[in-house]
Amino acid sequence: MQKQLTATCNNLIDKLRKEEKLTYEEYLFLIKNKDLCKEYLYKNSRQVCDSIYGKKIYIRGLIEFTNYCKNDCLYCGIRRSNKNADRYRLTKEQIIDCADQGYELGFRTFVLQGGEDLFFTDEILEEILKEIKSRHPDCAITLSIGERSFESYKKLKQAGADRYLLRHETATKSHYEKLHPEEMSFDNRVNCLHELKELGYQVGAGFMVGSPYQTEENLAAELLFLKELQPHMVGIGPFVPHKDTPFKDKLQGTVDMTLFMLGLIRLTLPHVLLPATTALGTIDPLGREKGINAGANVLMPNLSPTNVRKKYMLYDNKICTGDEAAQCIECLKQRVSKTGCEIVVDRGDYKN
Ligand code: 5AD
Ligand code: FES
């Protein structure tokens, strides 16, 4: 019986590798039977990644430049209702300094990430983008600053932003509404992703694995959503509860399901840039290495000044926020080499 099930799963994985998509029912079947076929999936998903990107692991320098946020996502540690969050904003000079230091360390992509902070107007962001671009014309700049207007996205693109990360958080509207306050809209979020694509950004979507109320059916729906959206990047990581949020007592997502979703995403969108996220490294000391073995090819180490890192706490126990954080990149290089892959000095553009 079990042999039969395993054979069925492996056949579906072969089909997915060949056709780069499955039906909703087929994805769901694999998710429900993940323990029977996960190793076979990872073998295939890692091979597919190798066939396109080789053994290269791209690094993105993450600059968390503000933890002010006007939103109130129920899962997030920097939600506006969290009165215990110690708020900070980096100055333009500090942000540019992070990028300069990152460049010296070998980073060729910078991710400017922040809460939805109205202090950072288009004008201020445009200045920062132009300055980083003029100092480091060979670098790509990624923004990750939430929902903005089409006009704003357009101006920021013209000022030098190349890419944009905006996780959709869940592809199921009714689920989205359980994770967010009423004033936030699933349709608007998805619309932002379409606008970003239309403007020519390389776009990253993504979701949390094991977020409260998520079902296996929701996870199957993620794969259809991603197949249709065709993002250049997909950021996924386990949900990790934060003590000062309404979800403080909810269960954490699992390493296993996160890895399984990474593998399925790699086979569904073979060319996608796929990070092994900090959240995955937080719930398992070898999480990022396992992510790479399941088909991830991007790491996003922190470049924020060490004195603010503990303040950008989206979830509890986030790694690389202590005194040792400055050496993160050396430590990562060693860890990655143990997987047989290698961190490279490269913008890591999407390969068609
Ligand atoms: N656990 C895991 N990931 C989280 N994020 C926010 N809060 C949490 C949490 N508690 C993720 C969201 C967001 C990204 C920047 O961090 O997916 O888009
Ligand atoms: Fe800031 Fe979700 S709490 S965008």
Side-chain angles (χ1 to χ4, degrees), residues 84-96:
N84 294 329
D86 185 2
R87 306 285 170 174
Y88 73 91
R89 287 184 182 108
L90 299 187
T91 63
K92 178 182 166 196
E93 290 69 33
Q94 283 176 307
I95 297 171
I96 288 163

Side-chain angles (χ1 to χ4, degrees), residues 8-53:
T8 309
C9 288
N10 290 355
N11 284 334
L12 284 176
I13 291 168
D14 291 341
K15 177 178 169 193
L16 175 57
R17 178 164 178 174
K18 201 156 128 227
E19 299 180 7
E20 304 178 4
K21 68 190 282 207
L22 292 176
T23 65
Y24 171 80
E25 287 75 21
E26 290 170 331
Y27 279 125
L28 184 58
F29 187 86
L30 285 178
I31 290 166
K32 285 189 183 291
N33 292 292
K34 77 169 171 4
D35 290 336
L36 299 180
C37 60
K38 56 189 182 187
E39 296 308 328
Y40 188 67
L41 173 65
Y42 306 150
K43 187 180 130 206
N44 279 278
S45 52
R46 187 63 242 169
Q47 274 177 7
V48 165
C49 189
D50 282 353
S51 72
I52 297 163
Y53 290 100

